[in-house]
Amino acid sequence: MDFTLSEEHQAFADSVARFAQDKLKDGALARAHSPHYPWETAALLAQQGLLGIAFPEEDGGQGGTLMHAVLAIEQVALVCPKSADIVQAGNFGPIRTFVEYATPEQKRRFLPDLLAGRKLVSLGMTEPDAGSAVTELKTSATPDGDDFLINGSKVFSTHSPEAELFLVYVRFGPGVGGIGSVLIEKGTPGFEVGQPSSFMNGEQWSQLYFENCRIPKENVLLGAGGFKKQISGFNVERLGNSARALAVGRHAFNTAREHALTRRQFGRELCEFQGIQWRFAEMAMKLEQAQLMLYRAAMEGEHGLPSAQSTAMAKLACNLAGWEVSNDALQVMGGMGFSQESLVEYCVRRTRGWMIAGGSIEILKNRIAEGVFGKTFPQRPPKN
Ligand SMILES: Cc1cc2nc3c(=O)[nH]c(=O)nc-3n(C[C@H](O)[C@H](O)[C@H](O)COP(=O)(O)OP(=O)(O)OC[C@H]3O[C@@H](n4cnc5c(N)ncnc54)[C@H](O)[C@@H]3O)c2cc1C
């Protein structure tokens, strides 16, 4: 068993770290405080080959692996947390499910703009009455000649105010077996993107409304019975979420460490106080533990999709470590940590959201417990 990165992985991580220091360090604070997607930076990352890292070369990707994508998102987040959103959008988000299951024609239509950082795809899964209980979604796809009519609504979709393409979970029929997904472009008649609302982390989201929105059958990504496949693709999204949460926590940790080495109170550096030292010892341990679980899940998915159990454990560990460490880092930095002069308060706000997004920490625990006992535990009340 080897706990170190291979020479090739390390060299890749080092090259991304150098690029990030060189091109992303300046402006990191301003990017974090803007509610908008950093399009110019997205084009830069695309040129650097940091979008589509694990996608096949024939699809316009880089032919790398999931581990390379995890290393890239980490190294970018360590320098510019907001730019890591671009790595997420171009490697781990709905684009990953799209690349896995799209037809060659669908790829030809949509991938070039997405991989160039010119357009975004947003995931429409959550509905007003179907959050954690995602299989209760109601948005319907009804056949009408060669087309489908989409009716329903979605909430909380990341990048929804700025995306051009939406990967929307829909119901073709009853039950879990009736769920699949379709691709819907902004501007399609019957599809409306509502006014943006803000999350605590600074991101914006718009409610999506579909009213007899007509799409051709060529826009079906996965028909009825596609739910399991969609969730397998979604496990990759969860790993991107995990990697960002952890790296953003480490970003805050590094900033607080520098602060503790230089800030003097009572005539000594903060790091001289045992109360501060123990806090850092615990923070360092949380980061290391979560890192091991993340890399294990990423290596499992090295030549395919990662397993649900390892992904759930990695996400839970990284979400908790990222949030707890950022929050402790803020405390160690006192008023400066709480101020928007530093990125640490941003790290706290960002890591908090990932404990809800992409499978809340409670839902992950339910999933892990099922693995522990080798049983499924239906969450719905028993039928009489
Ligand atoms: C930052 C952010 C980004 C997001 N991005 C997207 C996106 O791109 N696309 C998209 O479709 N959605 C997105 N979401 C929505 C997200 O997937 C949902 O918020 C999430 O699934 C929880 O659903 P809910 O908010 O309706 O909470 P609810 O399901 O109402 O849950 C409320 C609380 O109850 C807990 N709970 C629910 N059921 C159980 C149970 N059985 N056992 C124990 N506890 C339980 C939950 O963990 C939670 O703490 C995003 C959310 C956030 C915060």
Side-chain angles (χ1 to χ4, degrees):
M1 196 179 293
D2 188 354
F3 288 99
T4 54
L5 291 179
S6 72
E7 254 179 57
E8 192 271 325
H9 280 144
Q10 189 62 57
F12 177 75
D14 291 346
S15 78
V16 179
R18 279 194 300 276
F19 163 78
Q21 281 294 339
D22 198 25
K23 304 282 187 202
L24 305 177
K25 195 166 190 228
D26 288 349
L29 192 66
R31 263 177 235 121
H33 291 162
S34 165
H36 300 297
Y37 191 70
W39 290 106
E40 276 182 25
T41 314
L44 198 65
L45 264 65
Q47 278 162 24
Q48 187 66 16
L50 294 178
L51 306 192
I53 294 170
F55 301 171
E57 282 167 285
E58 59 268 27
D59 288 338
Q62 302 296 320
T65 64
L66 184 57
M67 188 66 191
H68 289 106
V70 164
L71 293 171
I73 204 168
E74 279 184 347
Q75 294 304 325
V76 168
L78 284 173
V79 176
C80 176
K82 177 72 171 260
S83 294
D85 292 0
I86 303 166
V87 186
Q88 172 81 14
N91 293 280
F92 295 94
I95 194 171
R96 185 68 182 83
T97 312
F98 176 83
V99 166
E100 196 70 27
Y101 303 117
T103 63
E105 174 57 15
Q106 288 170 338
K107 289 182 185 177
R108 194 195 57 70
R109 274 168 69 196
F110 299 118
L111 263 185
D113 280 339
L114 297 174
L115 289 177
R118 284 191 293 269
K119 287 187 181 173
L120 275 169
V121 51
S122 177
L123 174 68
M125 179 174 66
T126 309
E127 299 185 357
D129 294 326
S132 302
V134 63
T135 54
E136 280 169 21
L137 66 89
K138 294 194 196 100
T139 300
S140 59
T142 314
D144 189 53
D146 267 357
D147 302 332
F148 284 92
L149 292 178
I150 311 298
N151 280 287
S153 178
K154 299 285 176 181
V155 288
F156 300 150
S157 298
T158 297
H159 301 312
S160 39
E162 293 177 281
E164 291 284 335
L165 180 65
F166 293 81
L167 194 165
V168 183
Y169 282 31
V170 292
R171 180 168 290 296
F172 292 95
V176 176
I179 298 175
S181 52
V182 295
L183 302 163
I184 305 184
E185 288 173 89
K186 194 175 182 172
T188 307
F191 171 33
E192 197 191 318
V193 180
Q195 283 303 310
S197 301
S198 293
F199 278 134
M200 161 186 166
N201 63 11
E203 285 183 305
Q204 294 190 323
W205 64 274
S206 294
Q207 188 156 353
L208 311 178
Y209 303 93
F210 306 99
E211 211 181 311
N212 285 329
C213 171
R214 181 178 293 278
I215 56 159
K217 65 179 185 327
E218 287 74 25
N219 281 28
V220 172
L221 181 70
L222 285 163
F227 184 72
K228 259 198 166 165
K229 285 183 170 174
Q230 281 163 204
I231 290 295
S232 301
F234 191 58
N235 279 331
V236 178
E237 178 152 5
R238 286 182 166 163
L239 278 195
N241 169 317
S242 312
R244 269 188 307 168
L246 187 67
V248 168
R250 202 180 281 283
H251 183 108
F253 174 89
N254 290 344
T255 309
R257 180 180 168 279
E258 283 305 308
H259 186 82
L261 282 166
T262 49
R263 168 77 172 163
R264 290 174 71 86
Q265 287 295 281
F266 300 100
R268 325 166 75 178
E269 283 91 24
L270 289 183
C271 67
E272 296 293 331
F273 301 113
Q274 192 178 52
I276 299 277
Q277 293 164 10
W278 286 11
R279 199 186 275 265
F280 272 95
E282 286 173 13
M283 290 155 79
M285 199 181 66
K286 284 176 187 172
L287 291 174
E288 287 301 310
Q289 288 169 338
Q291 185 89 69
L292 289 173
M293 298 184 81
L294 172 64
Y295 284 180
R296 188 184 70 173
M299 288 308 288
E300 263 185 30
E302 189 69 341
H303 301 291
L305 299 175
S307 82
Q309 188 71 352
S310 298
T311 305
M313 284 196 179
K315 182 174 184 289
L316 181 59
C318 292
N319 285 167
L320 291 176
W323 154 252
E324 289 170 7
V325 169
S326 302
N327 202 29
D328 278 355
L330 186 154
Q331 187 67 19
V332 164
M333 290 182 64
M336 187 47 77
F338 199 56
S339 166
Q340 296 207 329
E341 299 298 307
S342 130
L343 273 167
V344 171
E345 62 81 36
Y346 174 74
C347 295
V348 174
R349 291 186 284 118
R350 283 314 296 272
T351 51
R352 188 66 187 83
W354 291 318
M355 296 206 288
I356 300 167
S360 69
I361 55 172
E362 291 80 16
I363 295 302
L364 296 172
K365 285 181 193 172
N366 291 347
R367 178 69 188 76
I368 294 166
E370 290 187 337
V372 169
F373 291 105
K375 287 170 71 137
T376 52
F377 296 113
Q379 302 294 305
R380 290 176 182 80
K383 284 184 191 141
N384 290 323

